[in-house]
Amino acid sequence: MAEKQVLLTKEGIHKLESELETLKTVERNKVAEELKEARAQGDLSENAEYDAAKDRQAEIETRIVEIEKMLKNVTVIDTEDEMTDTVKPGHRVTLYDETFEEEVVYLIVGSTEADPLNGKISNESPVGRAIIGRRAGDIVEVDTHGGIDKYKILKIEN
């Protein structure tokens, strides 16, 4: 079964590669030292420090595997040379939110990089799905938890 492709910007790829490097070089060594110190305390059956270090080691190894899997299946979002006539992942989109009567700006990213509080929404989110493939001037209705929201696409940029 083919793995799901992971959409990432170049910045997102760099962040994951940096995190992976830190986990492999710094965090693995740190937890190995914690395990060594906990073992030196004697009886491991009632050693909370040892149990905590083993749990942390498992978390680190799980995250390493997760990141390696994502990087293996990455599709780079690169819109530098693309036309901006329709909304695609990687585009910065200015919308007029008719519900709150304000302009909002979103960068459309893959779900791995989504960070709505910082203006990055996933192409799989309700708003992201609704505006993908649409053009400036289009009005879209989005079914959200709070009801139907209307947005007008004002501008599409790389």
Side-chain angles (χ1 to χ4, degrees):
M1 185 169 143
E3 295 290 330
K4 179 182 172 190
Q5 287 296 302
V6 178
L7 286 178
L8 288 171
T9 60
K10 290 176 185 175
E11 176 187 345
I13 291 170
H14 178 68
K15 282 182 180 178
L16 280 180
E17 289 172 339
S18 294
E19 180 183 352
L20 182 61
E21 182 67 21
T22 300
L23 288 170
K24 286 182 169 182
T25 59
V26 177
E27 296 301 321
R28 267 185 178 162
N29 291 338
K30 194 185 300 182
V31 80
E33 188 61 35
E34 290 170 11
L35 285 167
K36 181 179 170 185
E37 289 174 14
R39 276 192 206 103
Q41 294 176 10
D43 184 11
L44 298 182
S45 64
E46 295 181 20
N47 188 327
E49 288 83 8
Y50 180 79
D51 291 340
K54 287 299 283 182
D55 289 346
R56 178 75 179 127
Q57 183 182 42
E59 290 171 8
I60 290 169
E61 295 306 319
T62 299
R63 183 64 180 156
I64 287 171
V65 169
E66 187 178 88
I67 293 172
E68 287 175 338
K69 188 175 174 183
M70 281 190 274
L71 291 173
K72 185 177 136 198
N73 296 297
V74 74
T75 299
V76 180
I77 298 172
D78 184 9
T79 59
E80 287 181 25
D81 299 327
E82 286 188 8
M83 299 287 291
T84 56
D85 56 337
T86 60
V87 178
K88 296 177 185 151
H91 286 158
R92 186 169 308 282
V93 182
T94 304
L95 305 172
Y96 179 74
D97 182 338
E98 294 186 4
T99 304
F100 292 101
E101 298 180 344
E102 65 182 3
E103 284 187 17
V104 291
V105 179
Y106 294 121
L107 176 62
I108 310 302
V109 296
S111 59
T112 304
E113 284 183 271
D115 184 3
L117 295 177
N118 289 309
K120 294 180 178 182
I121 63 168
S122 166
N123 62 315
E124 298 172 10
S125 69
V127 174
R129 276 196 315 269
I131 64 175
I132 292 289
R134 305 300 292 265
R135 300 176 181 279
D138 286 354
I139 296 176
V140 295
E141 292 186 354
V142 181
D143 189 5
T144 65
H145 299 295
I148 303 292
D149 291 335
K150 280 187 178 181
Y151 297 93
K152 181 174 183 176
I153 301 173
L154 300 177
K155 185 168 46 170
I156 306 167
E157 305 170 280
N158 283 341

